[in-house]
Amino acid sequence: MLQPYRRLIGLVAIGSGTLIGPLDTAVNIAFPYIVGYFGQPMAMIQWVVICYVLTYGSLMLVFGKLGDLFGHRRIFAIGLIVSIGGLFLVAVSPNFGSMLFFRFLQGLGTGLVTSVGPALVIGLYPEDQRGRAVGMFTMIFALGGLLGPIIGGALVGLFDWRAVFWFRVPIALVSLSLLVLLPKPAQRDAAPAFDISGAVALVLSVSSFLLTLNQLLRAEQQGILPVIIPGCVCLAAIYWFIRSEGRAEEPILKLGVFRNVEFTIINLTSCLVYMVTFSVVLLIPFLLPRLPGLSIAEAGVILAVGFIATSLTAPLCGPFVGRLRPNWIGFAGVVMTGLGLMAVGRVSGPDDLPWMVGALIVQGVGTGLFQVAYLYIITGILPPSERGVSGSLAMLTRTLGVVTGVTALTLTMVWLQCRAAIAGHDEAAGFLIGFQGTFSLAGGGLLVFLIVTLIRPRIWLGRRDGIPARQPTEPGTDA
């Protein structure tokens, strides 16, 4: 068992390294300054996002498998080195084209680090404390997303847009320097096999799916062809991946696990939770400036309420998720998330701000409960030897949910506003109708999905956690 001080050092090492991914929310603040510096139209900022998200999103599951085969600490260290180089090069990019290429490099590093982060944190604790471990990891990730815009705004004000990239270099260096203090991974007797064909098919299917969603938002301006082409590539790559995994000696993901109904439902639920909760950061920033008497600082605090609630809930819930029923906790989390989002949809003016704060707290607590329960369940269904795959799959559902949310929520908001305009409402009333309707549909849709899954109530409410017994691994060992 790891001594407490070594576990603390391990948490600092892995936590600081993991933070460089969610801290990329700092870049959102710098978007106008980036396109202004390079003389690009605002529409080009989409490629700053696409190059990064498509890279780490499509590669995470592959990197998680590499971590299982060659060692999580090794993959994490390589990711830190690549991230340091990518962040530095983005910050010194001489032109917009080179910046996009280095964003791709940064995404590569983030994918490597994020894919094995959960497995490394879990490895610091004995198996019977896995709940505490996933609570800590969830808190770390939530804190990164919360602090990113705050730090980014301060750095852009003090320096310029480049600071939102280079400030993470020393954080990654601290993580890399402390990483050597973690226990060495167990040695393997023989070089493990790796499913190259399946890896290529997986990367192609995920990246083309994400690109299809991105282009769907621009179909009205660009036509349907940019949507159809990546969509067809995605379908072909999925077929290729399924066939490849069926023949591979060591598949990236054993597809037979999806015969476990709980495994399939919990992953679908995760995608949906991340999709609907993205409405908070996507739509509320457009509402708050419309409320009279609200300062920018106050608006920032309101927007952060849900993330603070998630950050506090995760470590508090973690120690209990293994003692209680994680499926019960996950169910309660989804219910609270849906109700919180629906409550936000009741906001109509500045007098409703206390109601909004309360609704965001409910949503944040619910999301924190679900995230901890989800990561605990999924890392329990897959064996300890596949902790890299299970952890990276959890990160992949987050990415898929967020990117899907951008498209689905935006289209919903636009559709509702168009209907309001046709009905004769002015722009302000139309916006409020779209805002309220989108949140009501997001929260209500999540609850409807949950009710449908109760066709098999034991998934969520059974007096079992659905997790097969596993042999505990020695804390600190690395697959």
Side-chain angles (χ1 to χ4, degrees):
M1 181 177 294
L2 285 180
Q3 296 177 351
Y5 78 92
R6 295 200 67 181
R7 181 177 296 154
L8 178 60
I9 292 174
L11 281 174
V12 173
I14 301 166
S16 57
T18 300
L19 275 175
I20 63 174
L23 280 175
D24 203 72
T25 51
V27 179
N28 297 358
I29 299 295
F31 281 165
Y33 303 93
I34 292 172
V35 293
Y37 180 84
F38 289 115
Q40 298 291 327
M42 195 64 191
M44 289 301 292
I45 203 66
Q46 64 172 307
W47 294 105
V48 177
V49 178
I50 291 172
C51 289
Y52 178 70
V53 174
L54 253 65
T55 302
Y56 80 75
S58 61
L59 289 169
M60 272 194 294
L61 202 55
V62 173
F63 290 154
K65 184 65 176 182
L66 288 173
D68 289 336
L69 294 176
F70 300 103
H72 303 130
R73 192 180 73 167
R74 182 179 293 112
I75 296 299
F76 195 84
I78 293 172
L80 289 173
I81 294 170
V82 174
S83 294
I84 290 169
L87 289 165
F88 174 78
L89 291 171
V90 169
V92 298
S93 299
N95 54 63
F96 193 67
S98 63
M99 181 195 180
L100 295 183
F101 176 78
F102 296 137
R103 277 287 276 178
F104 158 79
L105 188 64
Q106 183 197 342
L108 194 67
T110 299
L112 286 161
V113 168
T114 305
S115 63
V116 296
L120 282 174
V121 172
I122 291 173
L124 296 175
Y125 291 81
E127 187 67 13
D128 60 359
Q129 293 185 32
R130 180 159 47 87
R132 188 183 301 273
V134 299
M136 293 300 297
F137 181 83
T138 302
M139 180 193 69
I140 292 168
F141 217 87
L143 281 176
L146 166 66
L147 294 175
I150 299 173
I151 297 174
L155 289 175
V156 170
L158 290 172
F159 303 100
D160 60 11
W161 65 266
R162 301 177 187 276
V164 301
F165 295 100
W166 60 248
F167 89 93
R168 284 173 279 173
V169 171
I171 298 175
L173 286 171
V174 168
S175 175
L176 192 62
S177 62
L178 293 176
L179 206 61
V180 298
L181 301 177
L182 290 181
K184 292 184 178 180
Q187 297 296 318
R188 291 182 177 269
D189 296 331
F194 180 66
D195 179 19
I196 297 178
S197 175
V200 173
L202 178 63
V203 170
L204 191 59
S205 61
V206 175
S207 59
S208 56
F209 174 73
L210 296 176
L211 187 59
T212 301
L213 291 175
N214 177 268
Q215 294 303 310
L216 189 61
L217 282 175
R218 297 164 180 82
E220 187 174 348
Q221 295 81 21
Q222 301 178 358
I224 198 65
L225 194 61
V227 178
I228 293 177
I229 292 176
C232 291
V233 171
C234 177
L235 293 175
I238 290 174
Y239 175 75
W240 174 14
F241 177 68
I242 293 173
R243 286 184 59 86
S244 177
E245 295 305 274
R247 297 193 298 259
E249 176 186 350
E250 184 66 40
I252 303 294
L253 178 63
K254 296 180 177 68
L255 299 182
V257 73
F258 287 98
R259 296 192 187 98
N260 183 326
V261 177
E262 180 183 359
F263 183 83
T264 302
I265 292 299
I266 196 72
N267 280 290
L268 288 175
T269 306
S270 178
C271 288
L272 192 57
V273 166
Y274 287 119
M275 184 182 82
V276 298
T277 54
F278 192 71
S279 57
V280 174
V281 295
L282 181 67
L283 300 179
I284 290 181
F286 289 96
L287 173 72
L288 295 178
R290 295 171 178 260
L291 303 181
L294 193 67
S295 68
I296 296 178
E298 291 170 333
V301 171
I302 292 173
L303 190 61
V305 164
F307 297 99
I308 294 172
T310 299
S311 302
L312 294 176
T313 300
L316 293 176
C317 171
F320 300 100
V321 71
R323 302 175 190 173
L324 304 175
R325 303 290 180 180
N327 51 340
W328 293 3
I329 294 175
F331 181 83
V334 176
V335 171
M336 292 182 67
T337 299
L339 292 176
L341 292 174
M342 291 183 69
V344 173
R346 304 280 295 178
V347 173
S348 59
D351 293 339
D352 295 328
L353 284 179
W355 174 272
M356 174 182 279
V357 171
L360 289 175
I361 291 174
V362 172
Q363 174 266 313
V365 171
T367 302
L369 290 174
F370 173 78
Q371 289 177 354
V372 172
Y374 165 64
L375 189 53
Y376 184 87
I377 291 172
I378 198 173
T379 55
I381 290 178
L382 295 178
S385 61
E386 297 180 17
R387 283 281 156 80
V389 169
S390 59
S392 58
L393 182 60
M395 295 296 100
L396 178 60
T397 60
R398 176 192 294 266
T399 303
L400 293 176
V402 168
V403 176
T404 305
V406 172
T407 301
L409 295 167
T410 301
L411 292 176
T412 301
M413 180 77 175
V414 171
W415 176 67
L416 291 172
Q417 285 181 294
C418 288
R419 289 195 57 178
I422 294 172
H425 296 282
D426 60 20
E427 189 276 336
F431 172 85
L432 188 59
I433 290 171
F435 178 89
Q436 293 176 332
T438 302
F439 270 94
S440 297
L441 288 172
L446 181 62
L447 294 178
V448 168
F449 173 83
L450 188 64
I451 292 171
V452 171
T453 64
L454 288 176
I455 293 173
R456 301 204 42 184
R458 65 178 185 175
I459 294 174
W460 297 108
L461 306 177
R463 294 190 59 81
R464 58 166 182 79
D465 54 25
I467 300 173
R470 302 290 184 192
Q471 293 297 324
T473 53
E474 181 67 23
T477 59
D478 195 1

